Amino acid sequence: MRFGSENGPMMRIPVSSLFWQSALKPYPLFCYNSRFCKTLTTTTMKTVDESDAGILCFISNLPGFRGILKQRYCDFIVNEVDTDRKVVHLTSLDVPPEEAAVEHNETKASDQLNRSYASEIESFRSLAGDSDAQCLETLINQVTSGKNEDSIPPIVLSANSDKSHRTAIHNFFKDNFKFLVTDTVDGPDASSKCIRVRLNSGGNNNSMGRNSKKRKERGDNPFDSRGSENWPEQLGKFLRFHLYKENKDTQEALGLISKMLGILPRSFGFAGTKDKRSVSTQRVTVFKQRASKLAALNKRLIGIRLGDFCYVKEGLLLGQLLGNRFTITLRGVVVDSEDVIKASANSLGRNGFINYFGLQRFGSGSVPTHLVGATLLRGEWKSAVKMILDPREGERNEISKAREYYNETDDIDGTLRKLPRHLVAERAILQCLKKCPGNYLQALKAIPRTLRMMYVHSYQSFLWNHAASARVQKHGTEHVVVGDLVFCKGDDTEKELGCVNPEFEYESSNDADDSSHLDEVPETDHPDGRHNLVKTVTAEDINSGKYTIDDVVLPLPGSRVIYPMNDVAEVYHHLAEKDGINLTESLHNVKEFSITSMTGNYRRVFQKPMDFEWELLTYIDGNKPLAETDLDKIAKAKLANIVKEEEAVCGNKKKDPSDCMKQSESLSKDIKLSTENNEAACAKEVKQPHVESVCGADSQGKQMALKLGLTLPSSCYATMAIRELLKTSTSVAFHKTLN
């Protein structure tokens, strides 16, 4: 059933935690977290849970119910929403028509290699002279003989100070030798130039790819460090495509694709990374690569598909998205009455949820990222390195052994051989320490910036979550109070910034190592006067009714934010003080690890889902998908077309219908093969028993599932919406126990 609005008062949160009741006067609560604050040298740490991260409250007082989140990664489908408010889907795996025309022209050009060039060489002789004509003839003979491209050196024509004559030579090559390219280099003296001629490498669209090393070795610098200088004018310089992936994070998928293409991962542009434990579709751009090359990878890629290709003038930048569309299936639902689900779902759609940073923000390992962030803010470089490298609980055996090996031996080379490549931060630190022993600050800076800043921003999120909980516990969820911060009404930037996180946001997936993955939302730059976008609520504002609870924001600490003018502000400073951090003064002069050098930002305390809908389902086979992915839809459409075509053929030729059916079945198997393989892999994750003895499963083994559809701004966590619905923890460990 689709969600419809219902009238009714906003539910006030129940003061269900005596712990919080007593803690808020005057904040002895924060002592509970002391083991995570300054005593970072403790060796026994547990995976961060919601209370550690400040996730403590709910909006409604409705009862929750049992439901398993992400039992299968295909129960969590994410589709990016672009800046035009369009939901990004994978709809086609075909090469765009404009490329087919270009490839036809290139085929005609390549056919030139199979004929004689005697007449062209004679024409060139009259233009450039005998010496240059002889050099050109030698070059063409090498090319037409099938000699290895790398072994064919360029030729340099005679020095020429006449620019118009050089132009005529350039044009001659463009008109007569499509497989050769020319450029101008310095001549033997200052007044002259020479024309250099070389073989057009054609498909190598990135000069920094696999051949760059060989070119450097033979002393020939790349002609265009960003790509092929012979790129067709009618094509945009960037290829944009839709990346569909299953159970892989964005960095992992693009790393694999870049390796197959022989280019660097930084050649790709994207708006934000998506959660690993999901099926997701997002836009990606790559500089001067052909769609045909990427489309050909689909036959080799597992759990990844590339499609919806088009050429554009500009590449994607981090933050160029409005949000994400989520299709989430909660399996194994157990509830006393369907009315409970209806009431909870309607409340979520009407009132929203507390806009906490989810647990993914703080990592899945036993060393939460915000603890590393606090250590960096204090300037304790060696301790931070140790926290990142030391053994930790809950990791795979190969990772644990690699960490223990380094802890016992200090053998960097041996550790690097054992350490998986996806542990980017750990490998970067070790490689730097190998070159600069003992320089721990430099080792931390060796971590890619987007990754190393994750730690500091995680600490900002830690403070924000606690402040949000304090705001709800102290002042409820119904009304604005004096001293609250709100976005100024009528400010055009309100909508833009209302749901954007500070500088960077990172979200390591629940199943990934906490130090190696990015969040859904990247760095964004905002005007220096961002503090003018908010104001402090006065008694006059409250009497006017101008602002509602939906307008309330809280700051993420930085040098250009203001804090609420009420007791909620004390939460920030009290927690930071316990961690040995001053929010107004830096303890060191390393700007990127200084909270006073960060500008900060504002985040809405309450968030409502958009285009919210929900549906109750029943199922028996726990390994059967309950929601269609983009790849499923493509397979279904292709199968329908094949059946239609076969029926038409059978009807026209009066062929035996059973023969047509057999052909259709054979073709459908080919189309569905990839999705079935992925389904099988997904099914291996959880072997579910049929539940018969609990409410929610009948005697035939039928179980209930709740399928949700909702759109959220890019900085919001869908897991926090699910938490409001279920009233249970969103941690992976908890939901594994439900299996």
Side-chain angles (χ1 to χ4, degrees), residues 326-345:
F326 296 91
T327 304
I328 301 171
T329 304
L330 301 174
R331 292 179 182 261
V333 171
V334 177
V335 65
D336 292 336
S337 167
E338 290 186 13
D339 291 338
V340 173
I341 296 176
K342 180 179 180 180
S344 296

Side-chain angles (χ1 to χ4, degrees), residues 354-402:
I354 302 172
N355 197 20
Y356 287 123
F357 291 93
L359 287 178
Q360 305 99 307
R361 179 74 162 178
F362 306 97
S364 61
S366 58
V367 181
T369 51
H370 71 281
L371 298 189
V372 181
T375 309
L376 292 173
L377 291 172
R378 290 196 299 271
E380 298 171 2
W381 317 129
K382 185 175 181 179
S383 295
V385 166
K386 183 175 175 60
M387 293 176 72
I388 294 171
L389 294 180
D390 271 358
R392 55 188 69 178
E393 294 179 3
E395 287 188 314
R396 296 200 306 269
N397 192 42
E398 60 171 331
I399 300 175
S400 296
K401 286 184 176 180

Side-chain angles (χ1 to χ4, degrees), residues 113 138-147 152 179-180 199:
L113 291 174
T138 302
L139 176 63
I140 290 176
N141 288 338
Q142 288 179 313
V143 173
T144 56
S145 67
K147 195 173 182 180
I152 302 176
F179 57 92
L180 298 176
L199 178 65

